[in-house]
Every structure is written in structure tokens, then in C-alpha cells.
Amino acid sequence: MNHSNHAAPPAAAPANAVPPRLSGERRNSAAKWSLSTIAEADRAAILGKKKWPQHVAALAATLTSLVGGAVLGWTSPVLDELHLMGPSGSWVASLAPLGALGGAALSGWLARWAGRKPLILALVIPNVAGWSVLVAASGNVSPSLCHSPGCASRAGFEVLVAPQIDMLYAGRLLTGLCAGAATVLVPMYSAEISEPAIRGTIGVYLDLSLTVGILMAYVVGGLAGQVYLSGLCGALSLVAAITFFFMPESPQFLVVKGRRAEAEDALRWLRTGSSAPTPKGSHRVDVSAELDAMTRLAVESEERERASGGILGAVRGLCGEGSVSPTSRAVVLVVMLMALQQLSGIDAIIFFLQSIFKKSDSSLEPMHSTIVVGSVQVAATLVAALLVERAGRRLLLGVSGSLMAASLAALLVYFLFHKELDVDLNAFSWLPVSCLSAFVFVYCIGFGPLPFLMMAEFLPLEARSWGCGLAACVNWSLMFVVVRVFNLLMNNIGEAATFGIFCAICILGTLFVLTLVPETQGKTPAEIRQYLQDREIHTVTRRVSTPGGVV
């Protein structure tokens, strides 16, 4: 490592300047920090450092979001099973994003005070309650009643099972709340436990778990029915909580709270697989230097937060009052990525996949088609996990956005000729499945996992809790809007025009990525912040790794 390339510490937080709230051991650690400590730590880390504990902890955390993926895929087989395709069906679908909006807002605020691990564990309570309500609701619906002549009309069905519909509403709100909270807490936790070299791969685990959950909903819901699907999800919620109980808390959060001894044990396990102290003179990994790095960065973050005014300061900067800080720019980038992800129409397609295939007159059965698309999602996310540290974030986002637009354009042409111009396209009945599979595949290698990964990379420690909460709120609120209006658009302006709108948004998203989004692959938080501050966000070429990880 070339020490001459390191920038001097910022004037706002010199090495020996420690805020009053940091005292005792934390003050001493911050004051003793030096760049030579980083160099010694890098040399010592050659022996004994392990990466598997970080993967295990991240995967354990994402088990909760696997159940969240089932929340997203639940409506595709279940609405058809329960004959809920009218206004009630639209509300059953969209209430999950509405609940997720509340979960994201609450978890973003609470994560700063309660920590990451306790909140992820606490999600088991509303999760199990929500899935139990859904089991009870559908368990009381008589299959013969649903297929009787009285159920043929939407209104008749809604009158006959009104109490069950109310239970469906409640269950969807509760399970949506947990899914929204998971999309804030899991990326935050994963980023703070991982080293820069594997941060991208670990960050993709969130989207991988969501896609596996969606596929599970398609398969189990389509083959076994809603009761078995909801019961399985409730059981998996318990398994997720039990598994994650044995994982450590984020060491960065523990450092911020002054719990250095606990942070040291957590970090040692994450880096070595053992919490046993390193003997003196041993060549095994010593995490004390990395803890010092976390302490110093916590000090700097606290100084910046006091100087900038936190969330109010970021808002004032965006409104033109004072200078625009790197935090403000990071928030704008993250919010835009989240908005473009949802406005592409991905979740409307996932929620109503079976009904889309019915309208397209595809050669495959709708249930089989949804399973094909769900399998493609999982495969594509695995590809993203392999490519994200090789190809980089910006390239994958650009390729993803452009090919999503191309897939939707082909689907637009199909519906234009098939529905609007009434052209016989039986020879091309395979096209809808192919287009939607291609759309989902390229979405899952870029715009699916990367906005959540880059959210944790862009946002500095002092803004991570409220910034992640804000970004997730934007994501879920737009999902609610898109899911609510999707059927209205399909019924009023037609399939071709609806997919044309989504295609245009994907084109705009690609242009936004290629012109304004920086590359974050292998970059430290200090590098990302510096280039956001200098507005030189396209040509970051120097890569320096420190033991501090993402903070």
C-alpha cells in the first residue's frame, strides 16, 4: 500500500479530536489512530482471515427477506385461486406495499437506537401473526362457494366472503410491514459486516432471497394453494429468527454505542470464525486496528452530523439553502435509483403475472409460465452475484436498463398487433413468456439488486439510518402506486400503451445511470464521499482497501 496516496484527515475531525459523547476507551482508540496502523493490519490480515463467516451472517439475515419475497409473489397464484380480480383484488395486492412503507419508515428510525440485529429478530412477531391471519382467512373460504354461480361476478364474491376479505387485508398489511423493514435493515447490516472486496456479492444476497421467495410463492401457491403457502411462510419466519439469533450484531453499530468489547468479539468472529482473542505474537488476524478504524470513522461521522445538521441540513442543501453536501447528493442518487426500479413496472408484473399471461394467450399454461419466469429470476440473481465484483455496478445497471427497455418494446409490439390490430399471432404465442423472462432476467442482474446495495454504499454512517429508511419508503410507496394503477392502465389504455410507459421509463433510467451514477466497486466510503463532494463521479480509478470496511 502506498502511504503517499492517502489524503490527510479532514480538518473537521483531526485524528486527536473526539466529540464529548465519545469518551474513555473510544476516545483513546480514536486518538491513537494512524495510517501505519492500517498498513500493519493489512500485512497481518494475510494470514488467518476468513470470508465465510461474513457470508453466513449475511445469508442468515436475508432469510427474513426470503419470506418478504413470498409477500411479493403471493398475489399471482392466490388472487386467481380466490377469484379476487376486481377492486378487492387490487387492494389485497397493494396493501402489502402500503404496509411495507410503514415498516421501512419505522425501521429506518429505530435502527439508529435499537440496532440492526434486535429489529431483524423482532420482525418474527408481526410476520407470524400476518401469515396466521392469511391462513385463517383462506381456511374459512369454501372452495365450492368460490366456484358457484354466485361467485362468477366480482361483486357477488366480495359480498359472500366480506369478513375473509378484511382478514386478507390485515394479513397483507402485517406481512408487508415486515417485508419493508427487511429491505432497510438487511442491506444496512450486510454492508456493515462485510469487507470491501466481497461487499458487492454479499449485497446481492438480499435480492437473491427475494427472488427465491417469489419463486416459492409461485410454486407452492400454484400447486398446493394459499393455505399451505401462508403456513409455510409463517414457519419460515420462525426458522429465520432462530437462525439469525446466533449471528453477531453489526460491529460498527456497537462501536458507535461505545460497546467496544462486544464489537471486538463480533468483528473477530466475522473475520476469523472464532471469537477467541488473538494471542500476543500470533500471526492470526488481529481486529484491534479495524476497530480503531471504525472508531475514528464514527468520530468523523458524528462531527459531520453536528456540522451539517443531519437530515434537516441535507434537506436545506437540496432546497438551495447553503451548499449541497455529499450526503445530499448521495440521497438524491439513492432515491432516484429506487424510483427508477419501481417505475420500470417490475412489481406490477410480478404481482399480476398470471393475469398478464392469460391476456396474452400464451401457449403455456399461466401457472407454468409464472414458474418459468420465477426460475429465471433466481438464476439471473445468481449471475449478478458472480458479476457484481467483476463488471462493476454502473456497467450492470446500464446493460440492465437498456435490455429491460428492449424486452418491453418487444412486448409492446406483440400486444399492439395482437390486441389493438387483431392480428393472428398464434405462431408467436411463445413471445410473451420469452419477453417477460428476458425482462426479469436483465432486471435481476442490475436494477433488481444494485439499488439496495448502492444505497448502503453511498450513504455515510451519520445518514445511513434515516437515508436507508427514506429510500425504502420511496421504493415501497411507488410500488403501491404502480400496483394500484396497473390494472386501471391495462383496462383503460390497453396493454400496449401500459408497457410502452414502462419502456420509456427504462430508457430514461439507463440515461440517468450512464450520465450521473458513479462506480462504487471496490471503493472505500471515504473515496465515494470525496468524489461526490468533488462531483467527479465517473472516473474514480484509485482503489485503496482499509480494514474499516463500509461505515
Side-chain angles (χ1 to χ4, degrees):
M1 181 181 297
N2 188 354
H3 301 299
S4 62
N5 288 338
H6 284 284
N16 58 356
V18 184
R21 280 161 46 193
L22 296 173
S23 58
E25 192 172 9
R26 295 171 72 202
R27 294 174 62 88
N28 294 334
S29 298
K32 292 177 182 178
W33 175 260
S34 66
L35 291 176
S36 61
T37 310
I38 298 179
E40 292 168 7
D42 281 350
R43 288 193 293 271
I46 295 175
L47 296 174
K49 181 169 283 191
K50 299 175 182 177
K51 293 182 171 59
W52 67 260
Q54 300 168 61
H55 290 282
V56 169
L59 286 170
T62 56
L63 284 177
T64 300
S65 51
L66 184 148
V67 181
V71 174
L72 301 180
W74 184 90
T75 53
S76 183
V78 171
L79 293 185
D80 186 61
E81 175 191 342
L82 300 182
H83 296 260
L84 282 172
M85 292 300 172
S88 290
S90 181
W91 274 110
V92 167
S94 58
L95 278 175
L98 191 61
L101 174 60
L106 284 173
S107 61
W109 178 71
L110 290 173
R112 179 167 185 172
W113 314 107
R116 287 56 163 148
K117 180 180 177 179
L119 289 180
I120 293 176
L121 290 175
L123 293 179
V124 67
I125 299 173
N127 238 339
V128 171
W131 291 113
S132 299
V133 170
L134 291 174
V135 169
S138 297
N140 290 330
V141 178
S142 167
S144 60
L145 176 64
C146 294
H147 296 286
S148 68
C151 290
S153 67
R154 294 191 298 266
F157 180 81
E158 291 167 9
V159 171
L160 287 171
V161 295
Q164 284 74 35
I165 291 178
D166 291 339
M167 294 176 71
L168 291 176
Y169 289 165
R172 291 288 287 169
L173 271 173
L174 284 172
T175 54
L177 182 145
C178 297
T183 57
V184 174
L185 298 171
V186 172
M188 201 183 301
Y189 177 82
S190 298
E192 291 177 351
I193 67 169
S194 57
E195 302 171 76
I198 59 173
R199 190 176 64 217
T201 300
I202 285 180
V204 173
Y205 288 162
L206 171 69
D207 203 61
L208 177 62
S209 64
L210 290 172
T211 57
V212 171
I214 292 170
L215 177 60
M216 179 183 72
Y218 290 166
V219 174
V220 178
L223 298 179
Q226 197 279 131
V227 175
Y228 289 97
L229 171 60
S230 298
L232 175 62
C233 290
L236 286 176
S237 300
L238 288 171
V239 172
I242 293 170
T243 304
F244 189 62
F245 177 80
F246 298 99
M247 298 299 110
E249 172 62 284
S250 158
Q252 180 60 65
F253 171 78
L254 295 172
V255 165
V256 169
K257 293 300 179 182
R259 295 152 62 182
R260 183 182 172 94
E262 295 175 59
E264 185 173 0
D265 288 342
L267 189 61
R268 186 180 295 113
W269 186 87
L270 289 166
R271 299 297 182 260
T272 68
S274 171
S275 57
T278 304
K280 289 186 178 181
S282 172
H283 292 291
R284 288 191 293 139
V285 175
D286 184 1
V287 298
S288 59
E290 188 169 354
L291 282 175
D292 288 340
M294 289 183 175
T295 303
R296 181 174 185 271
L297 287 163
V299 171
E300 292 176 348
S301 296
E302 193 171 332
E303 289 281 359
R304 287 197 300 263
E305 183 179 25
R306 237 193 338 262
S308 65
I311 185 171
L312 294 178
V315 171
R316 284 195 297 268
L318 292 174
C319 294
E321 300 178 18
S323 59
V324 179
S325 67
T327 298
S328 300
R329 296 191 184 103
V331 170
V332 170
L333 287 173
V334 168
V335 167
M336 284 299 299
L337 286 174
M338 291 294 184
L340 290 168
Q341 182 195 68
Q342 284 306 317
L343 294 176
S344 69
I346 179 64
D347 282 302
I349 291 172
I350 289 172
F351 275 49
F352 299 106
L353 198 54
Q354 281 204 26
S355 62
I356 293 172
F357 281 126
K358 283 184 177 180
K359 292 183 178 181
S360 69
D361 298 323
S362 171
S363 56
L364 280 178
E365 286 290 325
M367 186 189 74
H368 297 155
S369 299
T370 57
I371 293 175
V372 168
V373 173
S375 302
V376 168
Q377 274 189 293
V378 176
T381 309
L382 290 171
V383 172
L386 297 174
L387 292 179
V388 68
E389 293 297 356
R390 294 172 173 83
R393 284 66 155 153
R394 192 161 168 264
L395 175 61
L396 287 179
L397 282 172
V399 170
S400 175
S402 58
L403 293 182
M404 284 164 64
S407 302
L408 290 175
L411 198 61
L412 180 160
V413 172
Y414 176 88
F415 275 111
L416 178 64
F417 281 91
H418 183 53
K419 295 291 186 179
E420 306 293 335
L421 303 179
D422 200 24
V423 176
D424 184 6
L425 294 178
N426 286 334
F428 298 94
S429 59
W430 51 267
L431 193 61
V433 175
S434 301
C435 288
L436 288 175
S437 296
F439 175 79
V440 167
F441 184 91
V442 294
Y443 166 84
C444 287
I445 67 170
F447 267 97
L450 296 185
F452 286 101
L453 165 63
M454 299 176 80
M455 172 180 72
E457 291 182 323
F458 278 132
L459 294 171
L461 179 61
E462 68 271 15
R464 188 163 298 155
S465 294
W466 64 262
C468 288
L470 173 64
C473 284
V474 170
N475 186 289
W476 288 104
S477 59
L478 287 176
M479 183 192 296
F480 170 76
V481 172
V482 172
V483 170
R484 277 291 293 149
V485 304
F486 180 72
N487 276 333
L488 293 175
L489 292 174
M490 294 275 280
N491 294 331
N492 288 282
I493 66 174
E495 294 86 353
T498 300
F499 288 113
I501 293 172
F502 293 146
C503 177
I505 291 172
C506 289
I507 294 172
L508 293 176
T510 303
L511 295 176
F512 173 79
V513 166
L514 296 179
T515 56
L516 294 175
V517 176
E519 178 58 72
T520 59
Q521 178 192 3
K523 309 299 186 295
T524 64
E527 288 179 304
I528 295 171
R529 180 179 179 82
Q530 184 62 48
Y531 282 92
L532 284 174
Q533 185 170 342
D534 295 342
R535 300 187 185 185
E536 298 172 2
I537 60 177
H538 296 144
T539 57
V540 184
T541 55
R542 184 170 59 89
R543 299 179 184 177
V544 180
S545 296
T546 72
V550 175
V551 290

